[in-house]
Amino acid sequence: QVQLVESGGRLVQAGGSLRLSCAASGRTFSSFNMGWFRQAPGKEREFVAAITWSGGSTYYSDSVKGRFTISRDNAKNTVYLQMNSLEPRDTAGYYCAARTQGWVPATKYAYDYWGQGTQVTVSS
């Protein structure tokens, strides 16, 4: 079993920055491809960013490209999402997810494990 715990979400003003963390425990984190998704009230969960097990490849949604950066530290079993130039439309619950095999970065149904989420609220 794999446990994922997100942290770092809070209220921030537009134009500000946040760094989210997702700590993993259980099975071998360093072999997992990881993703970040977000879900606003009344909307479906949408893809934000993903990173391969080695950190060698990343993939972003168009809505965050150039503003958000995903990274990972396999020694710490942690994946990060650095969010800059935040906008009110970024307000959502942010969830990290792990995929144990294969690289299907933007497909939420392809992920095997999910965290409980952390709330990000961007005020205008």
Side-chain angles (χ1 to χ4, degrees):
Q1 193 60 274
V2 174
Q3 293 80 42
L4 303 174
V5 180
E6 302 94 335
S7 62
R10 62 177 176 85
L11 173 65
V12 63
Q13 287 190 331
S17 298
L18 280 178
R19 188 177 81 158
L20 305 183
S21 300
C22 173
S25 61
R27 293 174 60 190
T28 308
F29 170 79
S30 60
S31 66
F32 298 160
N33 295 322
M34 300 295 295
W36 283 98
F37 290 76
R38 66 187 182 186
Q39 187 168 17
K43 295 187 177 181
E44 290 198 7
R45 191 167 296 189
E46 66 174 6
F47 170 73
V48 175
I51 189 167
T52 54
W53 63 272
S54 66
S57 293
T58 57
Y59 185 67
Y60 298 92
S61 69
D62 288 342
S63 63
V64 307
K65 197 175 297 182
R67 300 188 299 125
F68 291 10
T69 303
I70 188 171
S71 62
R72 66 190 297 161
D73 185 339
N74 286 343
K76 296 182 178 180
N77 284 5
T78 302
V79 63
Y80 303 98
L81 185 68
Q82 177 67 43
M83 305 187 295
N84 299 329
S85 302
L86 283 162
E87 304 170 1
R89 64 186 175 104
D90 296 316
T91 295
Y94 282 72
Y95 299 84
C96 73
R99 178 168 170 84
T100 57
Q101 293 183 356
W103 176 241
V104 191
T107 304
K108 59 187 175 183
Y109 304 110
Y111 287 80
D112 303 297
Y113 300 99
W114 291 85
Q116 294 299 305
T118 187
Q119 179 66 33
V120 172
T121 303
V122 184
S123 63
S124 57

